């Protein structure tokens, strides 16, 4: 019998399994894929996520892949361009954006080094219940015979369409319709700069990653998905041309590598995060539009939060249930503000005062850094508006008058 079984071995599952193994628990982690394997991702890890990697001792391995540090960000909209930096988190000023087939393998290796038993090519087929409590899993490895394993806690880290969530009948607590679709590819020859561009109805980003490549992504309203999907490459290039012509010129001088990636299934929800004998982390419990690139960072924060809440409470079911209730409440409270702000961004329809805000920010490097710190999660959403910002907005208004 295991203390914990984690289903899913990527950016949510591996850190969760690693932390619980380091706490002394006997942990099994099952992943349906075989690493290294790529997956849809915007790659970017914000400073709070980098701080977790640093605290876990994994950041040097990520840096050793050669992905460049990204300590500046530029954003352009309506003829205004601001450039600045997020505040450091625990001394970490740079973000990183490693390819997923690299970081997922690094995290899984760290879990194994912590003592986790890792089974690749191993899919969950069902949960095992004792009355209403989850007490184990049924697994099938490599298409072979089904096996049953038991544990005090089963953690679903198996993505947006989580089988654990479905079998546990985890209800949606917050839900919103999809707002954008996204297509992206990789080009060489672009500057090593994290840049964001917006115009009404479009959003473009450049994310430097490994081997001199840059991820170039374009976001479109969800209502346009059928048209965009019929010619994804053309749609991406046209959106970049219209929204970020300087990037389009750089792409023309560079070389596209790898295939085109895209999705029209950007779900927005919070599921109940835990129940008797089970918990959900990462996209299994909470997913939002990728336009703010918060998925990996949020997964790391949830892994740490769950490990902190569990402490040494696994052996007693009553204390375990209380710890899981605490995790569920704190997870939603931690992530809900950024969920709401992400959905506003994903509407791709900035309010009229957004341009006034940018004109106020451009007057002050300190205000600009606070803005980007809010986007990264280094500054709480509720900490963005300050007397200094209000004074700058008043000055913009006086100038317009």
């Amino acid at each position: 019998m295991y203390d914990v079984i984690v289903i899913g071995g990527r950016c949510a599952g591996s850190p969760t399994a690693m932390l619980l193994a380091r706490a002394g628990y006997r942990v099994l982690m099952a992943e349906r894929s075989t690493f290294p394997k790529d997956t849809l991702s915007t790659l970017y890890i914000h400073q709070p996520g980098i701080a977790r990697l640093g605290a876990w001792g994994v950041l040097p391995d990520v840096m050793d892949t050669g992905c460049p540090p990204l300590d500046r960000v530029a954003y352009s909209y309506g003829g205004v361009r601001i450039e600045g930096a997020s505040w450091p988190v625990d001394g970490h000023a740079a973000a990183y954006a490693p390819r997923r087939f690299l970081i997922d393998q690094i995290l899984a290796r760290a879990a194994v080094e912590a003592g986790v038993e890792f089974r690749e090519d191993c899919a969950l087929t069902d949960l095992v219940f004792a009355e209403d409590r989850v007490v184990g899993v049924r697994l099938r490895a490599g298409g072979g015979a089904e096996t049953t394993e038991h544990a005090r806690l089963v953690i679903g880290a198996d993505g947006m369409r989580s089988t654990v969530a479905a079998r546990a009948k985890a209800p949606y607590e917050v839900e919103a319709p999809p707002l954008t679709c996204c297509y992206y590819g990789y080009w060489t020859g672009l500057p090593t700069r994290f840049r964001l561009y917006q115009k009404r109805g479009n959003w473009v980003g450049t994310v430097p990653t490994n081997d001199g490549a840059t991820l170039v992504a374009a976001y479109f309203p969800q209502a346009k998905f059928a048209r965009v999907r019929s010619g994804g490459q053309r749609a991406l290039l046209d959106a970049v041309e219209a929204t970020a012509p300087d990037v389009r010129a750089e792409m023309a001088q560079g070389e596209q590598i790898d295939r085109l990636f895209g999705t029209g299934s950007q779900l927005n929800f919070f599921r109940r995060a835990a129940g008797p004998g089970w918990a959900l982390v990462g996209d299994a419990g909470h997913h939002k539009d990728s336009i703010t690139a918060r998925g990996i960072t949020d997964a790391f924060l949830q892994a740490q939060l769950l490990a902190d809440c569990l402490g040494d409470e696994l052996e007693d079911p009553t204390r375990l249930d209380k710890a899981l209730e605490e995790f569920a409440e704190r997870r939603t409270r931690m992530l809900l503000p950024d969920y709401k702000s992400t959905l506003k961004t994903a509407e791709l329809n900035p309010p009229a005062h957004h341009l006034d805000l940018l004109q106020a920010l451009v007057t002050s490097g300190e205000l600009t850094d606070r803005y980007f710190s809010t986007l990264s999660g280094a500054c709480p959403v509720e900490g963005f508006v300050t007397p200094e910002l209000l004074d700058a907005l008043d000055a913009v208004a006086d100038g317009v008058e």
Side-chain angles (χ1 to χ4, degrees), residues 79-141:
V80 178
R81 180 179 181 275
I82 60 173
E83 182 172 353
S86 169
W87 299 339
V89 177
D90 295 341
H92 297 280
Y96 290 86
R99 291 292 298 264
R100 288 295 300 272
F101 57 78
L102 295 171
I103 189 169
D104 289 349
Q105 194 167 22
I106 288 170
L107 292 169
R109 184 169 64 243
V112 171
E113 290 172 353
V116 173
E117 179 184 336
F118 182 32
R119 301 183 192 176
E120 296 179 85
D121 191 21
C122 184
L124 174 73
T125 59
D126 209 349
L127 298 178
V128 179
F129 288 84
E131 296 181 349
D132 66 343
R133 188 174 200 86
V134 174
V135 296
V137 298
R138 293 192 176 92
L139 303 171
R140 179 171 285 115

Side-chain angles (χ1 to χ4, degrees), residues 28-272:
L28 167 65
M29 182 170 70
E31 164 59 43
R32 65 183 179 182
S33 301
T34 300
F35 292 161
K37 185 176 175 60
D38 209 356
T39 189
L40 284 172
S41 178
T42 49
L43 307 182
Y44 194 82
I45 308 173
H46 293 276
Q47 282 78 1
I50 297 302
R52 289 297 88 219
L53 291 174
W56 298 337
V58 180
L59 183 57
D61 291 336
V62 175
M63 297 170 66
D64 285 347
T65 68
C67 61
L70 305 173
D71 56 5
R72 302 284 294 176
V73 54
Y75 170 56
S76 301
Y77 172 72
V80 178
R81 180 179 181 275
I82 60 173
E83 182 172 353
S86 169
W87 299 339
V89 177
D90 295 341
H92 297 280
Y96 290 86
R99 291 292 298 264
R100 288 295 300 272
F101 57 78
L102 295 171
I103 189 169
D104 289 349
Q105 194 167 22
I106 288 170
L107 292 169
R109 184 169 64 243
V112 171
E113 290 172 353
V116 173
E117 179 184 336
F118 182 32
R119 301 183 192 176
E120 296 179 85
D121 191 21
C122 184
L124 174 73
T125 59
D126 209 349
L127 298 178
V128 179
F129 288 84
E131 296 181 349
D132 66 343
R133 188 174 200 86
V134 174
V135 296
V137 298
R138 293 192 176 92
L139 303 171
R140 179 171 285 115
E146 191 175 75
T147 61
T148 300
E149 304 289 357
H150 291 86
R152 294 182 174 88
L153 176 63
V154 173
I155 299 172
D158 50 340
M160 185 173 66
R161 294 182 175 82
S162 168
T163 304
V164 174
R167 298 292 190 269
K169 295 182 170 57
Y172 291 99
E173 297 181 329
V174 179
E175 194 173 8
L179 294 171
T180 76
C181 55
C182 174
Y183 274 79
Y184 67 89
Y186 295 92
W187 271 262
T188 59
L190 274 66
T192 307
R193 296 202 299 269
F194 178 44
R195 295 172 290 174
L196 305 171
Y197 301 79
Q198 187 172 14
K199 64 181 295 186
R200 206 166 296 278
N202 280 116
W203 177 284
V204 167
T206 69
V207 185
T209 183
N210 297 92
D211 302 321
T214 295
L215 181 154
V216 181
Y219 287 78
F220 311 84
Q222 176 67 22
K224 295 184 177 181
F225 178 54
R227 179 180 63 80
V228 171
R229 179 174 56 180
S230 68
Q233 180 85 4
R234 186 74 264 158
L236 171 62
L237 296 178
D238 288 349
V240 176
E241 178 68 44
T243 310
D246 54 328
V247 174
R248 182 68 186 93
E250 294 164 2
M251 294 163 70
Q253 295 299 312
E255 178 184 0
Q256 184 176 3
I257 59 173
D258 212 332
R259 64 181 181 87
L260 185 72
F261 297 81
T263 180
S265 184
Q266 301 226 79
L267 305 183
N268 300 298
F269 63 79
F270 284 84
R271 288 188 178 107
R272 181 177 296 169

Side-chain angles (χ1 to χ4, degrees), residues 348-373:
L348 300 177
N349 187 26
H353 61 75
H354 187 61
L355 193 55
D356 292 341
L357 172 63
L358 296 182
Q359 290 170 337
L361 295 178
V362 81
T363 66
S364 166
E366 182 179 344
L367 291 177
T368 299
D369 287 354
R370 179 177 289 270
Y371 175 78
F372 287 126
S373 299

